[in-house]
Amino acid sequence: MDKSTDKIERKILEEALETKSLGRRLFFYEQLDSTNAQAKRLIKEITGADNSKEQENTELTRRADSLNGTLILAEEQTAGRGRQERGWSSPKEGGIYMSFILRPNLPAMSCPMLTLVAAIAVNEAIGRVSGLESLIKWPNDIVINGKKVCGILTETTGLLSEGPNIILGIGINANRKDFPEELKINATSIAKEKGSDINSYLLVAEICNSLERYYDKFAARGDLTLLKQDYEKHLVNKGKQVRILEKEGEYLGIALGISEQGALLVETEEKEIKTIVSGEVSVRGILGYI
Ligand code: BTN
């Protein structure tokens, strides 16, 4: 990125930020392999490798905590990564590639729920900046008019003694105009659906603002009790027939909503309520992606 553009974009972002910590420490890159990979490198660099002694652990925790809220942004990724070992197409034109480092003061078992918290926040921010109705496809894709505009990849590093580092990677097809043939069926961009470009840096700031608000609501309970309604209100699958694809096979059911822990609740044709935990399972609509 040429330095003057970098400064202008930084300014737009910083002026729109209303947060205490999210996005306050910002790293911009013209090109990275992956913003999630860069976040991991940064954590390693700041905390160092040796953590064998107790007093060093306290120092490690302090250093890791200092990274809470850090945001890494890249204009382009050469090895963008998606969920389930897939890649994430990350060309220079029109994409937003961002990763937060979070140090939640929560038990490790609560951390996977953060990905649903992020989905609520990103969905709200996209709606606010674009004026379009966007929806969440469980667990954390954001869709507009039935096609995907955003994916979220949450990863965890760190030892139990110093608490987990959460890396929350968000990829958005913001102003992208072209997609390769194999992505065209299920992917779109905000600009394509709106018919005009959006301000990407304003969207990044709005994501920081929304995420901090929802994160505080989540942290109050350590689960999704207070956010279930916010999530389900925008859940594209709710009340619809879905196809659950598991390693062992697939079955049909009606998506009822989510549990307080973020699992998808599905009523099967045999009237059994299944609790679908994110991971290896994929959820599809009856005819396709939605
Ligand atoms: C998905 O499969 O839907 C998740 C895609 C997540 C992509 C983002 S782009 C920024 C961050 N860096 C990566 O390498 N991946 C995530």
Side-chain angles (χ1 to χ4, degrees):
M1 193 184 297
D2 106 34
K3 282 286 158 258
S4 56
T5 329
D6 179 353
K7 270 196 195 132
I8 294 165
E9 282 156 353
R10 235 190 143 101
K11 201 157 180 281
I12 295 173
L13 209 169
E14 282 167 354
E15 279 181 2
L17 270 186
E18 294 164 1
T19 58
K20 293 191 292 294
S21 62
L22 291 197
R24 290 291 168 188
R25 192 171 183 187
L26 197 56
F27 294 91
F28 265 110
Y29 295 87
E30 201 172 314
Q31 188 190 73
L32 280 176
D33 49 353
S34 147
T35 53
N36 272 29
Q38 181 62 19
K40 287 183 200 165
R41 286 191 288 267
L42 183 63
I43 292 168
K44 208 159 176 197
E45 194 183 301
I46 299 290
T47 57
D50 182 16
N51 52 1
S52 50
K53 291 192 203 115
E54 201 45 51
Q55 79 233 43
E56 283 173 9
N57 278 346
T58 319
E59 172 56 14
L60 272 187
T61 307
R62 195 195 59 74
R63 281 196 231 158
D65 284 347
S66 74
L67 288 173
N68 185 47
T70 298
L71 176 59
I72 293 161
L73 272 167
E75 266 196 277
E76 177 183 15
Q77 295 185 125
T78 53
R81 292 175 31 234
R83 292 173 61 227
Q84 299 178 348
E85 311 294 315
R86 288 191 280 253
W88 183 258
S89 162
S90 310
K92 195 174 167 85
E93 295 309 319
I96 296 176
Y97 316 111
M98 58 193 283
S99 296
F100 289 103
I101 299 175
L102 300 174
R103 295 274 306 158
N105 197 7
L106 292 168
M109 60 175 279
S110 297
C111 294
M113 294 177 225
L114 266 170
T115 198
L116 281 83
V117 179
I120 304 174
V122 175
N123 186 58
E124 180 179 272
I126 289 178
R128 197 175 303 142
V129 171
S130 69
L132 300 176
E133 190 195 32
S134 58
L135 293 166
I136 303 169
K137 176 180 176 285
W138 184 87
N140 55 13
D141 287 352
I142 309 297
V143 299
I144 298 179
N145 297 328
K147 288 188 171 189
K148 180 161 169 172
V149 294
C150 165
I152 301 175
L153 173 67
T154 310
E155 298 182 279
T156 309
T157 69
L159 299 172
L160 277 182
S161 54
E162 80 218 34
N165 307 302
I166 306 289
I167 296 150
L168 191 68
I170 303 168
I172 305 175
N173 303 326
N175 294 325
R176 188 166 174 182
K177 307 294 180 319
D178 293 315
F179 290 89
E181 221 40 60
E182 68 276 15
L183 294 182
K184 267 186 189 150
I185 321 159
N186 293 333
T188 187
S189 69
I190 301 171
K192 274 184 90 167
E193 297 307 308
K194 187 176 160 69
S196 59
D197 280 2
I198 57 149
N199 185 325
S200 297
Y201 290 88
L202 194 58
L203 177 55
V204 173
E206 287 295 344
I207 289 172
C208 296
N209 296 341
S210 288
L211 184 57
E212 193 166 280
R213 252 196 327 275
Y214 286 110
Y215 177 77
D216 288 347
K217 227 170 155 182
F218 166 67
R221 294 287 285 258
D223 69 18
L224 299 168
T225 307
L226 303 177
L227 294 178
K228 201 168 125 56
Q229 256 196 332
D230 290 310
Y231 187 92
E232 287 181 347
K233 210 164 46 190
H234 303 285
L235 180 60
V236 70
N237 321 91
K238 190 167 158 55
K240 301 234 175 79
Q241 198 165 33
V242 286
R243 216 155 37 98
I244 309 297
L245 313 177
E246 291 180 340
K247 270 204 206 105
E248 304 76 38
E250 59 176 82
Y251 58 90
L252 296 176
I254 304 287
L256 303 177
I258 57 162
S259 71
E260 279 75 18
Q261 281 67 45
L264 186 69
L265 303 175
V266 173
E267 186 178 61
T268 66
E269 289 174 323
E270 293 75 35
K271 301 284 170 229
E272 188 192 343
I273 310 287
K274 292 256 195 193
T275 303
I276 318 283
V277 181
S278 137
E280 295 297 294
V281 183
S282 296
V283 177
R284 296 273 178 278
I286 251 358
L287 298 173
Y289 176 61
I290 295 297

